[in-house]
mmCIF file of all heavy atoms in Angstrom:
data_model
loop_
_atom_site.group_PDB
_atom_site.id
_atom_site.type_symbol
_atom_site.label_atom_id
_atom_site.label_comp_id
_atom_site.label_asym_id
_atom_site.label_seq_id
_atom_site.Cartn_x
_atom_site.Cartn_y
_atom_site.Cartn_z
ATOM 1 N N ASN Y 8 84.516 -22.421 -58.075
ATOM 2 C CA ASN Y 8 83.184 -21.997 -57.658
ATOM 3 C C ASN Y 8 82.201 -22.049 -58.829
ATOM 4 O O ASN Y 8 81.680 -21.039 -59.273
ATOM 5 C CB ASN Y 8 83.215 -20.571 -57.099
ATOM 6 C CG ASN Y 8 83.266 -20.575 -55.582
ATOM 7 O OD1 ASN Y 8 82.986 -21.597 -54.992
ATOM 8 N ND2 ASN Y 8 83.611 -19.463 -55.020
ATOM 9 N N THR Y 9 81.948 -23.204 -59.317
ATOM 10 C CA THR Y 9 81.000 -23.377 -60.434
ATOM 11 C C THR Y 9 79.596 -23.496 -59.892
ATOM 12 O O THR Y 9 79.372 -23.816 -58.718
ATOM 13 C CB THR Y 9 81.346 -24.643 -61.250
ATOM 14 O OG1 THR Y 9 81.128 -25.779 -60.414
ATOM 15 C CG2 THR Y 9 82.782 -24.610 -61.738
ATOM 16 N N ARG Y 14 75.362 -25.762 -56.102
ATOM 17 C CA ARG Y 14 74.191 -26.649 -55.932
ATOM 18 C C ARG Y 14 74.512 -27.798 -54.998
ATOM 19 O O ARG Y 14 73.705 -28.140 -54.123
ATOM 20 C CB ARG Y 14 73.712 -27.176 -57.294
ATOM 21 C CG ARG Y 14 72.870 -26.198 -58.054
ATOM 22 C CD ARG Y 14 72.178 -26.847 -59.238
ATOM 23 N NE ARG Y 14 73.087 -27.463 -60.167
ATOM 24 C CZ ARG Y 14 73.670 -26.839 -61.176
ATOM 25 N NH1 ARG Y 14 73.448 -25.558 -61.381
ATOM 26 N NH2 ARG Y 14 74.480 -27.465 -61.994
ATOM 27 N N VAL Y 27 69.177 -33.379 -39.155
ATOM 28 C CA VAL Y 27 69.172 -32.905 -37.756
ATOM 29 C C VAL Y 27 67.720 -32.753 -37.272
ATOM 30 O O VAL Y 27 67.396 -33.202 -36.171
ATOM 31 C CB VAL Y 27 69.964 -31.576 -37.616
ATOM 32 C CG1 VAL Y 27 69.693 -30.931 -36.277
ATOM 33 C CG2 VAL Y 27 71.437 -31.810 -37.828
ATOM 34 N N VAL Y 30 66.258 -36.281 -36.693
ATOM 35 C CA VAL Y 30 66.813 -36.951 -35.529
ATOM 36 C C VAL Y 30 66.276 -36.336 -34.225
ATOM 37 O O VAL Y 30 65.886 -37.046 -33.310
ATOM 38 C CB VAL Y 30 68.371 -36.917 -35.568
ATOM 39 C CG1 VAL Y 30 68.964 -37.322 -34.234
ATOM 40 C CG2 VAL Y 30 68.869 -37.840 -36.688
ATOM 41 N N LEU Y 60 51.426 -35.841 -23.738
ATOM 42 C CA LEU Y 60 51.531 -36.863 -24.759
ATOM 43 C C LEU Y 60 50.178 -37.183 -25.357
ATOM 44 O O LEU Y 60 49.265 -37.633 -24.654
ATOM 45 C CB LEU Y 60 52.148 -38.150 -24.178
ATOM 46 C CG LEU Y 60 52.389 -39.278 -25.159
ATOM 47 C CD1 LEU Y 60 53.343 -38.863 -26.262
ATOM 48 C CD2 LEU Y 60 52.903 -40.506 -24.431
ATOM 49 N N ASN Y 63 47.828 -38.054 -32.763
ATOM 50 C CA ASN Y 63 46.975 -37.300 -33.704
ATOM 51 C C ASN Y 63 46.967 -37.999 -35.042
ATOM 52 O O ASN Y 63 47.992 -38.108 -35.696
ATOM 53 C CB ASN Y 63 47.499 -35.874 -33.835
ATOM 54 C CG ASN Y 63 46.621 -35.017 -34.683
ATOM 55 O OD1 ASN Y 63 45.594 -35.414 -35.174
ATOM 56 N ND2 ASN Y 63 47.078 -33.765 -34.859
ATOM 57 N N ALA Y 67 46.895 -30.302 -38.037
ATOM 58 C CA ALA Y 67 46.778 -29.355 -36.947
ATOM 59 C C ALA Y 67 45.316 -29.205 -36.546
ATOM 60 O O ALA Y 67 44.414 -29.268 -37.370
ATOM 61 C CB ALA Y 67 47.316 -27.995 -37.384
ATOM 62 N N PRO Y 75 43.732 -40.359 -42.300
ATOM 63 C CA PRO Y 75 45.175 -40.236 -42.118
ATOM 64 C C PRO Y 75 45.994 -40.563 -43.367
ATOM 65 O O PRO Y 75 47.077 -40.026 -43.570
ATOM 66 C CB PRO Y 75 45.474 -41.232 -40.994
ATOM 67 C CG PRO Y 75 44.324 -42.166 -40.996
ATOM 68 C CD PRO Y 75 43.146 -41.383 -41.454
ATOM 69 N N TRP Y 76 45.438 -41.402 -44.232
ATOM 70 C CA TRP Y 76 46.130 -41.777 -45.482
ATOM 71 C C TRP Y 76 46.325 -40.534 -46.360
ATOM 72 O O TRP Y 76 47.305 -40.437 -47.094
ATOM 73 C CB TRP Y 76 45.400 -42.852 -46.217
ATOM 74 C CG TRP Y 76 43.953 -42.474 -46.513
ATOM 75 C CD1 TRP Y 76 42.866 -42.715 -45.755
ATOM 76 C CD2 TRP Y 76 43.493 -41.733 -47.638
ATOM 77 N NE1 TRP Y 76 41.752 -42.172 -46.314
ATOM 78 C CE2 TRP Y 76 42.082 -41.565 -47.490
ATOM 79 C CE3 TRP Y 76 44.114 -41.195 -48.771
ATOM 80 C CZ2 TRP Y 76 41.304 -40.877 -48.408
ATOM 81 C CZ3 TRP Y 76 43.322 -40.519 -49.709
ATOM 82 C CH2 TRP Y 76 41.939 -40.362 -49.509
ATOM 83 N N ALA Y 92 63.047 -30.181 -56.396
ATOM 84 C CA ALA Y 92 63.398 -28.761 -56.440
ATOM 85 C C ALA Y 92 64.845 -28.535 -56.019
ATOM 86 O O ALA Y 92 65.487 -27.572 -56.447
ATOM 87 C CB ALA Y 92 62.461 -27.969 -55.541
ATOM 88 N N ARG Y 94 67.440 -29.835 -56.966
ATOM 89 C CA ARG Y 94 68.384 -29.924 -58.075
ATOM 90 C C ARG Y 94 68.871 -28.537 -58.532
ATOM 91 O O ARG Y 94 69.979 -28.396 -59.001
ATOM 92 C CB ARG Y 94 67.773 -30.660 -59.273
ATOM 93 C CG ARG Y 94 67.484 -32.103 -58.986
ATOM 94 C CD ARG Y 94 66.980 -32.809 -60.183
ATOM 95 N NE ARG Y 94 65.974 -31.990 -60.869
ATOM 96 C CZ ARG Y 94 65.378 -32.272 -61.999
ATOM 97 N NH1 ARG Y 94 65.637 -33.411 -62.594
ATOM 98 N NH2 ARG Y 94 64.500 -31.471 -62.536
ATOM 99 N N ARG Y 97 70.553 -23.092 -55.090
ATOM 100 C CA ARG Y 97 71.827 -22.406 -54.884
ATOM 101 C C ARG Y 97 71.728 -21.347 -53.802
ATOM 102 O O ARG Y 97 72.668 -20.586 -53.618
ATOM 103 C CB ARG Y 97 72.315 -21.747 -56.198
ATOM 104 C CG ARG Y 97 72.837 -22.778 -57.186
ATOM 105 C CD ARG Y 97 73.347 -22.100 -58.424
ATOM 106 N NE ARG Y 97 74.435 -21.202 -58.143
ATOM 107 C CZ ARG Y 97 74.759 -20.181 -58.942
ATOM 108 N NH1 ARG Y 97 74.076 -19.921 -60.014
ATOM 109 N NH2 ARG Y 97 75.754 -19.390 -58.603
ATOM 110 N N ASP Y 118 55.976 -41.436 -38.599
ATOM 111 C CA ASP Y 118 54.909 -41.807 -37.636
ATOM 112 C C ASP Y 118 53.718 -42.412 -38.367
ATOM 113 O O ASP Y 118 53.165 -43.422 -37.956
ATOM 114 C CB ASP Y 118 54.437 -40.568 -36.861
ATOM 115 C CG ASP Y 118 55.381 -40.186 -35.711
ATOM 116 O OD1 ASP Y 118 56.387 -40.885 -35.507
ATOM 117 O OD2 ASP Y 118 55.093 -39.180 -35.042
ATOM 118 N N VAL Y 132 52.908 -38.621 -33.030
ATOM 119 C CA VAL Y 132 53.154 -38.361 -31.607
ATOM 120 C C VAL Y 132 53.346 -36.855 -31.408
ATOM 121 O O VAL Y 132 54.272 -36.260 -31.974
ATOM 122 C CB VAL Y 132 54.413 -39.112 -31.115
ATOM 123 C CG1 VAL Y 132 54.699 -38.764 -29.663
ATOM 124 C CG2 VAL Y 132 54.248 -40.602 -31.309
ATOM 125 N N CYS Y 149 59.406 -27.497 -37.075
ATOM 126 C CA CYS Y 149 60.313 -27.365 -38.201
ATOM 127 C C CYS Y 149 59.592 -26.966 -39.483
ATOM 128 O O CYS Y 149 60.037 -26.131 -40.244
ATOM 129 C CB CYS Y 149 61.093 -28.650 -38.431
ATOM 130 S SG CYS Y 149 62.324 -28.994 -37.145
ATOM 131 N N ILE Y 150 58.425 -27.599 -39.704
ATOM 132 C CA ILE Y 150 57.627 -27.259 -40.874
ATOM 133 C C ILE Y 150 57.193 -25.802 -40.852
ATOM 134 O O ILE Y 150 57.286 -25.069 -41.850
ATOM 135 C CB ILE Y 150 56.422 -28.217 -41.008
ATOM 136 C CG1 ILE Y 150 56.896 -29.641 -41.292
ATOM 137 C CG2 ILE Y 150 55.427 -27.714 -42.045
ATOM 138 C CD1 ILE Y 150 55.811 -30.706 -41.129
ATOM 139 N N GLU Y 182 75.619 -17.258 -54.690
ATOM 140 C CA GLU Y 182 74.248 -17.145 -54.174
ATOM 141 C C GLU Y 182 74.079 -15.853 -53.409
ATOM 142 O O GLU Y 182 75.000 -15.326 -52.858
ATOM 143 C CB GLU Y 182 73.919 -18.405 -53.389
ATOM 144 C CG GLU Y 182 73.707 -18.278 -51.944
ATOM 145 C CD GLU Y 182 74.927 -18.124 -51.091
ATOM 146 O OE1 GLU Y 182 76.056 -18.475 -51.456
ATOM 147 O OE2 GLU Y 182 74.712 -17.611 -49.982
#
Side-chain angles (χ1 to χ4, degrees):
N8 262 345
T9 66
R14 279 192 303 273
V27 168
V30 167
L60 182 61
N63 185 2
W76 56 269
R94 294 183 317 177
R97 286 183 60 205
D118 281 358
V132 176
C149 289
I150 292 168
E182 114 284 337

